[in-house]
Structures are given as structure tokens and as C-alpha cells.
Amino acid sequence: MRRSIGTTAVVAALALAATACGGDGGSEGGGADGELSGTVTFWDTSGENEAGVFEEIAKDFEQEHPGVTVDYVNIGFDDAQNRFKNAAAANEAPDVMRTEVAWVADFASLGYLYPLDDTPLGEQGDFLDQAWASTQYDGQTWAVPQVIDTLALFYNEDLLNEAGVEVPGSLADIRRSADAFEEIGVTPLYVRGDDPYWFLPFLYGEGGDLVDAEAQEVTIDDEAGVQAFTQMHDLVESGAAITDVNDGLENMLTSFSQGDVAMMITGPWDTVTAQEALGDSLGVAPVPAGSEAQGAPQGGWNYGIYAGTPDADASMAFVEYMSSPDTQQRITEELNLLPTRESVYERPAVQDNELVSFFRPAVDVAHERPWIPEAQSLFDPLRTSIEAMLTGSASPEEAARDTADEYRDILEDWQ
């Protein structure tokens, strides 16, 4: 049974007091003999390509701290946000959760995350500015960065060479290449129509955004937003891209691995699968630009600690270990994921990683998303509108308008 949310302030105060007094609190305290002790339930939302590595790292933490038991649970990404919120409301949430960057503000606004400002985890240190920004809400720190990412264009160099096509720099280039690829029986691009995160490069490429959080205005239905829907629609209608509104990730990876499409847009989490399928013919390039700019979203994952964790010392020590430079280097070496610490990029093993060398500059210019509690809620209406457009029941203009109407209902306090 988890400690009630109502005791959060008391829990935090006691932990901080113990740490300040040099007692049993802090990352090395908790047990009667001064050894760290307790149980940490860890909800890991990573996919099957990554879960085994994170579970092994969690076991290694147990080896270093024999008094702590880590209950590792892989819950997958789907519906994880709501599962955590429901568990927290019932005082049964895990001690630590791997949370998508857009969920932090939501969880913090509900009082479900442990405040970190006055703990060792509350110091930015060498964490990248853009990664650290996603841990902030209402002027406080509520999470610790795990990995950072963005989207890029993965391409099959052999197929591009066979078609006589250069790596495209824009969506217009992709449309112009359709005939050349058709001659070799290949579609240029796979566009994911089932996940609105993959719509963001279209939106940023037109100079638009979902909302203007600072001005508290919905912007998805402005001219740039309509043009973004139009760009996605026209790619598919012209035959320059194929799509699916269901099982997009699996279908995309299968199509790319089998050579049915020459290019796909995805992130560093899919590099292992892509390398296994294509080997040396795999290439990576920036997301193709729209009519205004090249724009890919900032993504990533953080570690959040449940506000009612009964073993706060153990939970904080676990997060400190999981986000440490050594652990981040290991994650990069084994999974090609991008570190969130500046110092890790300076390590030879990371510097020699070709995909990290590409993605790091891409991350530096990635488009920061609005860190508002409603951020993730903006995806469901967008997903519905994209599906309606791609299945022919809505025009790009209608898709933009319908999305904006839903946003204004969600963000009614902005009116």
C-alpha cells in the first residue's frame, strides 16, 4: 500500500530534514545500520528493443545496494499516462516511473510527483538545457532527464542509388522522386498516420505549432496548420507516401526493412531494428523541410518519483543511479539512445557512435513542445483528425478546424 498523497508535504519535509542533519536520510541512508534499504517499484515504459537493457541496469543497482529490492515492471507505452494517474489517485502508484517528457507537467499539476528542488536530484548540473526544461513545472523541478530524442529521416541508400535519387532535403523533393522510385517498384516514404507525434515535423515545417502557450492561444487552425495537414494529405494522395492509421510503427518498420519503402521518419529508438535490417545501407538525414523550415519535435523520457513513495531515499538513489553518466553511456552504447548529460557526449565511446553524432546536432535545434499539463491531451483530437483526413472523411481544412475546436474545449481556461 502506498502512502497517501495527503502526506506528501510531510514525507518531503522529513526526508529533507534527515538529509540536512546527516542522519539516515539521503541517497546513502534509510536502514537501521545506515545502509540504503527499501523497495522501489519501477514502471518502465520502454519497448521490447530496450526493456531488457533497462531491467539489467535495475538489477545492477540492486547489486550495489543489497538492502534495496527493485520491482521492475515493463508496462509499455500505450495508456501508461492514464495508468499512472489512476494508480496515483488510488495511492497505488509505482515509486518511480519512466515518464514521457510531456507527462511531467500533467502529473505535477495533480500533485502526483515528488518535489525535487531541495534534494540532490533538483540540481541541473550538466543536464542539457532543453532536457532539463521538460522537468520543470510552475517554477519547480519534478523529474530527472533519462534520454532525449527527436525525429530524423532514415533511408535505404541502396534503393536511393538504384532509383538515382539523392537524399531529399524537403517534402517537395520526395514528391518529385515518386516516378523514379515507381520504376523500381518502391514507394519513397512511409508516413505514420496513427501517431500525431509524427505529424509535428509537417506542422513545424510550415512554421506552425499546436498552441502558443505563452500567449495562451490555439494555433493549429491558422494558415500554417492547414498547410501542414495539406502536406501530409498530398504526399499520400500523390503516391509519394503510404500510410496506415493502425499499427503504424510495426507496418512502417516492416515496410522499410523489406524494401517496400525507401525512407521512413523515426527516432534513435529504432536504429537497432533498422541497422539489423539494412546494415551498411542505412542512412540518416534531417527530417525533410516543409515550405518554411526543417522542424522536428523534441522528445525524450524522464524519471519521475511518486509523491507518496514510502522509501523516498531508495527511490531517489535509484533515479540518481539510472540517470548517472555511467548509466547513460551504457544506454547509448547498447541502444543508441541519446544522453541528457553534456559530459557523456565528451566520452570517447559516445563520440565514436555515428548515430549519436548525427542526432546530437538535430536535438540541439529540435522544436521544444509546450510544457503544459494538457500537452498530451492535445494528441487525441489530433489523432482523430488525421485519421479522418487520411481515410477521406475530412479535408485538411476541416481536420485543422475540428482539432482547434477540441483544443479550445480542453484549454477553456485560456478563453
Side-chain angles (χ1 to χ4, degrees):
M1 176 67 67
R2 294 284 181 258
R3 188 168 297 160
S4 129
I5 291 294
T7 65
T8 298
V10 176
V11 172
L14 289 175
L16 294 174
T19 302
C21 294
D24 288 339
S27 61
E28 296 302 325
D33 57 357
E35 294 295 325
L36 192 68
S37 64
T39 298
V40 177
T41 300
F42 173 43
W43 277 12
D44 176 24
T45 54
S46 66
E48 59 181 349
N49 289 334
E50 304 168 352
V53 173
F54 293 129
E55 184 173 12
E56 285 299 318
I57 295 173
K59 290 179 180 178
D60 289 346
F61 172 82
E62 283 186 320
Q63 294 295 317
E64 290 199 13
H65 301 282
V68 179
T69 299
V70 177
D71 181 11
Y72 173 90
V73 183
N74 184 272
I75 66 168
F77 174 73
D78 292 343
D79 204 37
Q81 182 182 15
N82 287 331
R83 287 182 65 180
F84 180 82
K85 288 163 71 171
N86 291 337
N91 301 324
E92 296 176 349
D95 301 284
V96 177
M97 180 175 176
R98 178 181 181 264
T99 170
E100 211 271 355
V101 289
W103 302 347
V104 173
D106 183 23
F107 294 163
S109 71
L110 296 170
Y112 292 160
L113 293 183
Y114 196 100
L116 301 178
D117 274 344
D118 295 321
T119 76
L121 298 179
E123 299 177 2
Q124 178 175 352
D126 67 341
F127 285 109
L128 303 175
D129 288 342
Q130 60 269 53
W132 190 252
S134 69
T135 71
Q136 305 298 297
Y137 172 70
D138 200 23
Q140 298 184 68
T141 302
W142 300 96
V144 177
Q146 183 208 36
V147 296
I148 191 168
D149 61 53
T150 190
L151 295 173
L153 183 76
F154 285 45
Y155 62 90
N156 186 324
E157 188 173 5
D158 289 345
L159 290 180
L160 265 64
N161 290 338
E162 185 178 353
V165 172
E166 295 185 355
V167 178
S170 68
L171 297 176
D173 291 340
I174 293 177
R175 283 192 291 270
R176 284 191 290 267
S177 73
D179 289 343
F181 281 112
E182 185 177 6
E183 291 182 5
I184 64 170
V186 173
T187 301
L189 179 69
Y190 192 102
V191 170
R192 284 194 65 179
D194 67 321
D195 192 324
Y197 185 71
W198 270 255
F199 174 77
L200 296 180
F202 292 96
L203 184 58
Y204 300 153
E206 300 306 314
D209 209 334
L210 301 175
V211 300
D212 183 335
E214 185 174 351
Q216 295 193 335
E217 294 179 355
V218 172
T219 57
I220 186 63
D221 59 343
D222 62 15
E223 182 178 354
V226 173
Q227 183 60 23
F229 281 102
T230 302
Q231 288 273 29
M232 174 182 274
H233 176 269
D234 289 354
L235 274 173
V236 176
E237 287 296 304
S238 69
I242 58 174
T243 190
D244 201 323
V245 296
N246 295 297
D247 301 320
L249 177 60
E250 180 180 351
N251 293 335
M252 177 181 69
L253 292 174
T254 298
S255 297
F256 186 70
S257 298
Q258 294 180 349
D260 297 327
V261 297
M263 295 170 282
M264 66 177 180
I265 294 174
T266 192
W269 54 86
D270 282 330
T271 56
V272 173
T273 299
Q275 284 178 319
E276 289 176 350
L278 269 63
D280 292 339
S281 65
L282 174 65
V284 183
V287 167
S291 61
E292 293 293 329
Q294 182 276 331
Q298 177 189 330
W301 297 87
N302 297 327
Y303 293 110
I305 298 175
Y306 174 50
T309 178
D311 295 312
D313 291 339
S315 295
M316 285 191 282
F318 178 73
V319 169
E320 184 175 14
Y321 180 87
M322 297 295 287
S323 61
S324 69
D326 287 345
T327 298
Q328 291 206 9
Q329 177 180 330
R330 177 178 175 182
I331 290 172
T332 298
E333 290 179 313
E334 298 192 34
L335 297 173
N336 288 318
L337 299 181
L338 305 182
T340 55
R341 291 181 177 271
E342 185 72 47
S343 61
V344 180
Y345 286 94
E346 299 171 0
R347 297 187 172 194
V350 176
Q351 288 181 334
D352 292 341
N353 186 304
E354 292 183 3
L355 286 166
V356 171
S357 297
F358 167 77
F359 270 104
R360 171 60 196 275
V363 163
D364 286 343
V365 297
H367 196 290
E368 192 168 315
R369 293 146 67 192
W371 308 127
I372 58 176
E374 302 86 356
Q376 197 68 21
S377 299
L378 302 179
F379 277 174
D380 282 340
L382 182 56
R383 179 183 291 106
T384 300
S385 295
I386 291 171
E387 179 176 349
M389 180 186 69
L390 294 177
T391 55
S393 60
S395 67
E397 293 81 6
E398 291 169 334
R401 181 199 64 205
D402 293 345
T403 306
D405 288 344
E406 292 286 342
Y407 283 6
R408 293 186 176 99
D409 287 341
I410 293 171
L411 300 166
E412 58 183 350
D413 290 344
W414 285 12
Q415 305 301 320

